[in-house]
Amino acid sequence: KFGSDCVLIVLAAIVVKNNYDGRYSSANKAWAETFDSAEIENVRHNTRYCTVKTHPVVLDGLVNNARLAAQEVIPPKTKLLGQLNDNLAKVKKVKAEQIKKPGQKKRKVTEVE
């Protein structure tokens, strides 16, 4: 229901709200400031009754991982899907080779490249 963009904006709003807290890294604070201030205020207004009850250092680690994922340090979904399709094609090829052909012994394939 909630996309990564929404999660990032909420995390940024939390960091901006707690900008005074030295337990958030300067990299995460700078990243949070790159978001549109109107979006941040909208999130803060709509979540004014929500509280975050986790240690700031733990939350800073979560923000750091989310920030790196958003910067595509982690491969984007389309690249992963391409890799899965390639692997599926290899598996299908191996399965096809395993089918016993007339006059040939069935060979056992133990590894997929």
Side-chain angles (χ1 to χ4, degrees):
K1 182 177 179 180
F2 300 104
S4 59
D5 293 340
C6 182
V7 172
L8 293 174
I9 291 171
V10 170
L11 290 174
I14 293 168
V15 174
V16 167
K17 179 181 177 184
N18 297 303
N19 199 21
Y20 62 90
D21 194 334
R23 293 173 287 188
Y24 291 97
S25 70
S26 57
N28 285 341
K29 288 179 183 179
W31 168 80
E33 294 293 334
T34 64
F35 284 82
D36 182 31
S37 59
E39 287 180 322
I40 297 291
E41 285 305 314
N42 186 33
V43 169
R44 289 176 67 185
H45 175 73
N46 290 325
T47 60
R48 64 182 175 263
Y49 301 112
C50 296
T51 58
V52 178
K53 293 184 178 184
T54 188
H55 195 278
V57 174
V58 174
L59 188 58
D60 186 58
L62 173 68
V63 171
N64 193 50
N65 287 341
R67 180 174 55 84
L68 293 175
Q71 293 173 350
E72 297 184 349
V73 170
I74 298 172
K77 200 183 320 183
T78 54
K79 184 175 179 182
L80 291 175
L81 288 175
Q83 291 172 348
L84 287 173
N85 286 334
D86 291 344
N87 290 341
L88 181 61
K90 288 177 184 178
V91 168
K92 286 181 179 179
K93 182 180 176 184
V94 168
K95 290 285 186 186
E97 290 174 358
Q98 288 178 341
I99 297 173
K100 184 178 177 183
K101 295 181 181 175
Q104 292 182 344
K105 291 183 179 179
K106 186 175 180 181
R107 64 184 181 126
K108 184 176 180 181
V109 179
T110 57
E111 280 189 36
V112 177
E113 294 180 12

